[in-house]
Amino acid sequence: MDLILCHTTADFDALGAAVGLTRLLPGSKIVLTGGSHPPVRDFLALHRDEYPLIERRSVNPEKIRSLSVVDTQKRDRLGKAAEWLDLPNLKEIIVYDHHLGQESDISATRSHISAVGATTTLIVERLQQQQISLTPAEATVMALGIHVDTGSLTFDQSTPQDALALAWLMEQGASLSVISTYRDPGLSLQLQQLLTEALENLEYLCLHGYTLAWVTIKTEGFVPGLSSLASELVELTEIDALLLANEYAVGESDSRLTVIGRSQIPKTNLNLLFQLLGGGGHSQAASLNLRQVDSQAILKQLLDGVKTQIPHPPTARDLMSSPVRTILPETTIAEAQRILLRYGHSGLSVVDTQGQLVGIISRRDIDIALHHGFSHAPVKGYMTRNLKTITPDTTLPQIESMMVTYDIGRLPVLENEQLMGIVTRTDVLRELHQNSAVSGSGAFSPFPVLSSESQSLLTNQHLGLRMELQNKLAPQLWQLLTTASQEAEKRGWHLYLVGGAVRDLLLAEASGTLMIKDIDLVVDGFHKSADVGAGVELASSLQQLYPTARLEIHGAFQTAALLWHKDPELDSLWVDIATARTEFYPYPAANPEVEASSIRQDLYRRDFTINALALRLTSPRAGELLDFFGGLLDLQARQIRVLHANSFIEDPTRIFRGVRFAVRFGFQIEPQTEEFIRYAINSGVYDRTSQENSRTPALQTRLKTELKHILEAPYWKSALQLLDNLGALQCIHPTLKLDVEVLRQLRLLERCLRRFDPQPTLIHWEMRLEALIAHLAPEYRAKVAKNLQLQEDSIKRLQNLASAQTEVMESLPKCQSPSQVVQLLRQYDLPMLILIAVQSLQEIRHQIWEYLTVWANVQPLLNGNDLKKLGYKPGPQYRQILDDMLAATLDGVIKDKTEAEKFLAQHYPK
């Protein structure tokens, strides 16, 4: 007998999952282990015969072969049926659940646990995989399970998977009228009476702009449907969080306590709080059942826990962009438009000569003025003067209210009448969206491409991301970041770990062993006291604390770097510290012009979403993860997505970085990003900008750096093939393609490098690049090498390759003896011979190979000391003598020292 167990007080999700599971396990039966929710009870009163339900008391335990448990991982939620889990005749125990982060006490042989909105969704996915169809009755109860547990896809834990599962169940014939009847059946008479009582006794507390309420109701016995009562209380009172406690007696001496928790406050997690007392659920909906406890003490413990979780609402100081791009009232409309275009703003703040705000002009105002031909007019004639402003401490709810009330798209932030920053609608929407995403598991989970540690990190990031960082990083690296954050806090600045280090942290498998070699830190604090040199100042202070580090300062880019080389603790580590900045490319492929800005603008200037993540290291919100552009979702989708459409036009090296990341992580380049790449390459913009500008660093030094990263990596072949598929090798030269001949030459090159330079003494990535360039027509080779600023010997080698190859190909077949081969080839160094070999026919290549493996290693049987002992006076003739003896040795004329001395006496008598 195969049984499917629903937890006590079964809800529609447990029942729906169990019904679906009977189709996956033909012949299995469903056991309701102890009652059900009132709507489930009413539903089964009419539909029980549609499903294979049996009573617990009718089960013969000796005949049970397997148990499947749905919607729980706890034994105590199975009532007396939990005893069956210990039966010796069981062959299998399978658990299906959607509550992450719970410690299961069921010894399951298999577990299927994923962060979806309903357990039923997990079963639907398996039914779809096996192409199993349902009856309308089965589809209906399963759809009810998803509807009720996700609030018809409105609860934060809802995921796209739940929506897809519901759509499929509708295709299977789920009855919408039945779903409508039982999804929200209303409150029973008893619950209506308790609702009145609860409303009269509800206690409130306002904290950080949120309203928390709690109430205790006493009843004579257990009351089913308390979760519906809790939901009704939240809806009627519009509170942000609720704790509903129910005390009741069982018999004369046994007291029970049930607590239902609901929260709509971002970043709270009731599941964690309730688990501490043996309960659990979701981050925003949880419950517990206890017996013979002090109910008020339990309620106070939970209340205190919720208080500690309630976050401080973001303020204008956290949201605003700073410093603000400002113009004077006399600035012309045309100049204002140029500034908007350069920085991508939707409006500009207008200040007087004392720096005080006098107005704001929007893009729409400027467009209208231009339309009417007033490009020469000053902006003061078009700007808005009646302004609403806020202070740095204005909270997000207040900002949102002002924007809605006055229909304002941007609010200047003033402190002591000075313009400190500006908050736009985009800032508010981004923050609200981020809170929504973080508050529930739906946006970040399931996360199948990440390790289990990273899944936990994402799910509970607002409570433990900083601790996760500490656990994952090597202790000495964590100490360095801690010291840096403390130095930043002393100066009133924010400090962020940004870019690839955050990405690698999220992808890391191990704990406590991650030793990142390249770290980027960004200082953001202009609204406090930081200036343009904040990054340099912080780096200098750290260098005093770490005197073994070398400090490098790059003033043009407002950055500093700390470098350790083979340090006993930090090994070879590179830490870049920059002030938050924005950048502007004066023309494609140029070096960007940078200006101080905010952390948001700093992240926006980066290449791909997975590299535009930031982790705040400083208090009070240490551990906060900034993800403004969907980087986490792209990690989930295993894709490389660019931040904006002109990214590759401005900087072609991003194409090479994108390919490198895609191949390194096994990701795909997102389709639209690939379109942007192909458009940039096919547009001819790189050719035009090279002709119009003498300096194009993104096609010169920066391109060489990216090629170095690719060609020295173990995945270089796959990366080159992807670059060729995208047409990106044209960035090196318009005629360069990875055809069959180039691939053959690269394979030969690797054989040569393994055979002739195993240690290695040559720089192998440069040799691969030289081999690529050598495939170009001879007139282009040196020019490309100079453009990429290769080493001087590489440039000369590529410049002389054609003539050297011609000489070898013409002369080598004429050589009649090994000595003639040696005389011809020894004038070329090893890299040149390798390049010639890989481009030559097999006969030529064979002779070069034999020269390098055999003949180049042959030495004359006598040396200079031997000649001196034999009475020959040192002089220029030594060289001729030794050369002739080497030739004779190579050609087999002499085979030992005796024959060498005879040869010497015959050809060079004293």
Side-chain angles (χ1 to χ4, degrees):
M1 180 182 293
D2 298 314
L3 296 183
I4 302 168
L5 305 183
C6 298
H7 55 71
T8 55
T9 319
D11 56 16
F12 274 116
D13 187 29
L15 180 61
V19 169
L21 199 51
T22 62
R23 298 304 307 274
L24 293 170
L25 302 171
S28 58
K29 304 294 182 182
I30 301 171
V31 177
L32 302 179
T33 60
S36 58
H37 280 196
V40 176
R41 181 193 61 213
D42 296 342
F43 175 84
L44 288 176
L46 291 177
H47 301 85
R48 179 179 295 273
D49 294 340
E50 305 281 352
Y51 314 115
L53 292 157
I54 61 173
E55 298 287 337
R56 179 178 56 81
R57 58 190 176 185
S58 67
V59 174
N60 182 350
E62 295 180 358
K63 295 185 178 181
I64 301 175
R65 293 184 307 175
S66 71
L67 292 174
S68 297
V69 180
V70 294
D71 204 34
T72 186
Q73 303 169 51
K74 297 287 188 179
R75 295 173 65 101
D76 60 8
R77 295 210 64 198
L78 298 177
K80 292 186 177 181
E83 299 171 356
W84 297 342
L85 296 170
D86 302 319
L87 291 173
N89 51 304
L90 278 183
K91 293 184 178 179
E92 192 170 36
I93 300 175
I94 311 173
V95 172
Y96 295 87
D97 194 19
H98 69 129
H99 301 96
L100 289 186
Q102 293 194 358
E103 292 186 10
S104 176
D105 55 6
I106 297 176
S107 300
T109 53
R110 281 189 291 148
S111 294
H112 303 282
I113 301 170
S114 185
V116 289
T119 303
T120 303
T121 298
L122 301 179
I123 307 300
V124 168
E125 291 176 339
R126 283 160 177 76
L127 290 169
Q128 290 175 295
Q129 290 168 3
Q130 298 186 27
Q131 298 182 338
I132 298 174
S133 59
L134 303 176
T135 66
E138 292 166 338
T140 299
V141 72
M142 295 181 73
L144 269 168
I146 299 176
H147 269 288
V148 171
D149 247 38
T150 66
S152 295
L153 303 179
T154 62
F155 292 168
D156 285 333
Q157 66 264 22
S158 305
T159 69
Q161 291 165 269
D162 301 301
L164 292 172
L166 272 179
W168 184 78
L169 291 170
M170 290 178 67
E171 292 176 352
Q172 297 294 304
S175 172
L176 296 181
S177 61
V178 174
I179 293 171
S180 177
T181 300
Y182 292 99
R183 183 184 64 83
D184 186 13
L187 299 181
S188 66
L189 180 60
Q190 182 185 22
L191 289 177
Q192 292 178 34
Q193 294 170 345
L194 291 176
L195 175 62
T196 302
E197 178 184 340
L199 287 171
E200 292 176 351
N201 296 289
L202 207 59
E203 298 183 70
Y204 298 90
L205 170 69
C206 289
L207 184 63
H208 305 321
Y210 298 104
T211 302
L212 172 62
W214 65 97
V215 66
T216 301
I217 55 176
K218 297 182 179 182
T219 59
E220 293 182 358
F222 171 72
V223 178
L226 280 178
S227 59
S228 299
L229 176 60
S231 298
E232 190 74 13
L233 278 170
V234 171
E235 185 173 344
L236 287 174
T237 58
E238 297 185 352
I239 55 180
D240 299 300
L242 170 70
L243 294 175
L244 171 62
N246 175 215
E247 294 181 29
Y248 61 96
V250 178
E252 296 182 358
S253 59
D254 192 4
S255 64
R256 301 286 177 91
L257 174 68
T258 296
V259 183
I260 306 291
R262 295 287 186 269
S263 175
Q264 301 178 80
I265 303 174
K267 302 185 182 181
T268 54
N269 192 325
L270 297 181
N271 179 43
L272 292 179
L273 293 177
F274 279 61
Q275 274 190 29
L276 297 174
L277 296 171
H282 299 288
S283 61
Q284 296 192 297
S287 64
L288 60 82
N289 293 283
L290 301 172
R291 56 192 304 176
Q292 295 184 328
V293 295
D294 184 342
S295 61
Q296 293 309 303
I298 296 295
L299 191 60
K300 183 179 185 302
Q301 181 176 342
L302 291 172
L303 188 63
D304 290 342
V306 174
K307 289 179 184 177
T308 60
Q309 286 189 354
I310 294 177
H312 291 263
T315 63
R317 194 185 303 278
D318 303 308
L319 301 173
M320 69 187 186
S321 297
S322 174
V324 183
R325 203 73 53 197
T326 62
I327 56 176
L328 294 171
E330 291 74 26
T331 304
T332 65
I333 291 291
E335 176 64 12
Q337 184 201 34
R338 189 193 67 80
I339 295 172
L340 285 183
L341 178 64
R342 171 167 180 156
Y343 297 105
H345 294 342
S346 59
L348 292 169
S349 298
V350 185
V351 297
D352 60 20
T353 53
Q354 283 73 45
Q356 294 192 346
L357 183 69
V358 295
I360 285 181
I361 187 165
S362 69
R363 181 184 296 276
R364 183 174 179 275
D365 298 329
I366 291 173
D367 288 343
I368 291 173
L370 290 171
H371 175 73
H372 292 294
F374 288 96
S375 61
H376 61 283
V379 297
K380 63 183 178 182
Y382 292 87
M383 69 185 186
T384 301
R385 299 175 184 271
N386 185 19
L387 302 177
K388 299 292 182 183
T389 63
I390 55 178
T391 70
D393 297 322
T394 305
T395 64
L396 175 59
Q398 293 170 321
I399 294 170
E400 186 181 4
S401 176
M402 287 183 68
M403 286 186 168
V404 172
T405 302
Y406 300 106
D407 190 22
I408 299 174
R410 55 190 61 80
L411 288 169
V413 183
L414 301 184
E415 188 171 42
N416 299 324
E417 298 186 355
Q418 293 297 308
L419 183 62
M420 304 300 295
I422 193 161
V423 177
T424 67
R425 282 196 186 101
T426 302
D427 297 325
V428 171
L429 290 174
R430 186 184 290 122
E431 183 70 23
L432 292 174
H433 172 75
Q434 186 176 3
N435 284 342
S436 174
V438 174
S439 64
S441 60
F444 298 152
S445 301
F447 227 85
V449 301
L450 298 182
S451 64
S452 58
E453 293 90 344
S454 295
Q455 288 189 26
S456 174
L457 182 152
L458 292 172
T459 305
N460 302 313
Q461 63 172 269
H462 56 285
L463 294 176
L465 204 150
R466 183 179 173 89
M467 185 170 293
E468 290 283 352
L469 172 64
Q470 182 176 359
N471 292 338
K472 283 179 177 292
L473 288 179
Q476 61 272 31
L477 195 54
W478 168 252
Q479 182 56 52
L480 172 63
L481 294 180
T482 301
T483 303
S485 64
Q486 291 170 348
E487 290 297 307
E489 285 178 358
K490 288 178 184 177
R491 295 162 172 80
W493 302 337
H494 302 319
L495 184 65
Y496 295 89
L497 178 68
V498 300
V502 182
R503 177 201 66 220
D504 293 346
L505 169 67
L506 295 174
L507 291 171
E509 293 286 348
S511 297
T513 57
L514 190 60
M515 185 64 192
I516 301 173
K517 299 292 186 181
D518 192 351
I519 289 177
D520 286 332
L521 299 176
V522 170
V523 182
D524 180 23
F526 291 94
H527 53 276
K528 286 284 190 177
S529 57
D531 57 22
V532 73
V536 174
E537 181 180 337
L538 180 60
S540 300
S541 68
L542 283 174
Q543 201 271 336
Q544 294 179 11
L545 299 173
Y546 290 88
T548 58
R550 187 173 87 252
L551 175 64
E552 292 185 358
I553 297 175
H554 310 286
F557 296 99
Q558 305 163 10
T559 65
L562 291 172
L563 293 82
W564 287 262
H565 181 64
K566 296 183 179 180
D567 185 83
E569 290 189 353
L570 295 172
D571 197 16
S572 296
L573 174 66
W574 184 302
V575 178
D576 265 314
I577 306 178
T579 309
R581 53 198 167 131
T582 187
E583 62 187 24
F584 176 78
Y585 288 82
Y587 54 87
N591 275 333
E593 298 174 4
V594 297
E595 296 179 9
S597 188
S598 65
I599 184 64
R600 280 187 176 86
Q601 289 295 318
D602 193 275
L603 294 175
Y604 183 65
R605 72 181 180 84
R606 295 174 185 271
D607 47 17
F608 304 103
T609 58
I610 63 171
N611 296 330
L613 299 163
L615 184 66
R616 183 162 167 170
L617 300 175
T618 45
S619 299
R621 289 155 62 187
E624 179 183 25
L625 187 66
L626 301 187
D627 177 23
F628 301 126
F629 313 109
L632 287 172
L633 294 178
D634 287 330
L635 281 176
Q636 173 189 3
R638 300 176 66 84
Q639 69 180 7
I640 305 298
R641 181 164 59 87
V642 76
L643 285 177
H644 54 89
N646 289 318
S647 184
F648 302 118
I649 297 285
E650 293 177 338
D651 187 354
T653 60
R654 288 172 176 159
I655 299 173
F656 290 75
R657 284 202 297 278
V659 165
R660 175 158 56 91
F661 294 136
V663 178
R664 172 184 169 189
F665 297 124
F667 285 12
Q668 295 294 317
I669 296 178
E670 182 257 346
Q672 189 174 46
T673 298
E674 183 174 333
E675 289 181 15
F676 291 149
I677 291 174
R678 294 188 185 278
Y679 175 79
I681 293 170
N682 296 331
S683 69
V685 65
Y686 305 143
D687 291 335
R688 291 196 303 273
T689 196
S690 295
Q691 293 169 8
E692 296 169 0
N693 301 278
S694 59
R695 294 190 69 252
T696 54
L699 293 169
Q700 297 170 326
T701 52
R702 300 212 316 269
L703 178 56
K704 183 186 80 170
T705 300
E706 284 304 319
L707 288 168
K708 174 181 181 293
H709 290 319
I710 288 173
L711 292 173
E712 68 184 2
Y715 48 76
W716 66 269
K717 291 180 184 177
S718 299
L720 280 183
Q721 289 173 335
L722 181 52
L723 285 168
D724 181 64
N725 177 264
L726 293 169
L729 293 180
Q730 295 179 42
C731 293
I732 300 175
H733 191 270
T735 65
L736 183 59
K737 295 184 182 299
L738 201 66
D739 56 25
V740 174
E741 179 59 23
V742 174
L743 291 172
R744 185 187 70 84
Q745 291 179 14
L746 288 172
R747 286 195 298 271
L748 290 172
L749 174 73
E750 291 306 297
R751 288 178 57 193
C752 289
L753 291 176
R754 286 195 301 270
R755 179 65 179 83
F756 305 124
D757 193 38
Q759 288 312 318
T761 57
L762 304 177
I763 302 175
H764 286 196
W765 76 264
E766 284 188 348
M767 287 300 302
R768 293 171 187 135
L769 182 54
E770 285 186 36
L772 282 173
I773 298 173
H775 188 64
L776 298 174
E779 63 267 27
Y780 300 137
R781 294 168 181 168
K783 182 179 179 181
V784 171
K786 290 177 182 177
N787 183 65
L788 292 175
Q789 298 183 19
L790 299 187
Q791 297 184 64
E792 190 62 34
D793 60 343
S794 294
I795 297 173
K796 288 182 179 179
R797 187 158 43 246
L798 289 165
Q799 190 171 24
N800 299 327
L801 175 60
S803 59
Q805 187 174 13
T806 299
E807 181 181 2
V808 169
M809 292 179 68
E810 291 179 352
S811 303
L812 200 55
K814 299 176 183 178
C815 294
Q816 302 298 316
S817 63
S819 61
Q820 291 177 335
V821 173
V822 171
Q823 186 176 6
L824 172 65
L825 297 182
R826 69 181 177 183
Q827 61 183 308
Y828 304 112
D829 61 10
L830 176 60
M832 177 68 88
L833 288 174
I834 290 176
L835 290 180
I836 294 173
V838 299
Q839 289 203 336
S840 299
L841 296 175
Q842 186 174 3
E843 309 84 64
I844 301 295
R845 188 167 61 252
H846 177 76
Q847 287 184 284
I848 294 176
W849 186 278
E850 191 166 8
Y851 163 74
L852 291 173
T853 53
V854 180
W855 298 330
N857 300 315
V858 174
Q859 298 294 325
L861 293 172
L862 299 176
N863 57 32
N865 291 328
D866 296 325
L867 296 179
K868 190 173 183 180
K869 290 178 182 177
L870 291 172
Y872 290 89
K873 293 183 178 179
Q877 72 169 5
Y878 266 34
R879 178 61 180 268
Q880 186 62 48
I881 293 173
L882 293 175
D883 283 347
D884 289 345
M885 291 187 64
L886 175 60
T889 304
L890 287 166
D891 297 337
V893 175
I894 57 178
K895 299 179 179 62
D896 54 35
K897 282 193 174 185
T898 301
E899 292 183 357
E901 290 176 0
K902 291 180 179 178
F903 177 87
L904 187 63
Q906 180 181 353
H907 292 85
Y908 293 96
K910 296 177 185 177

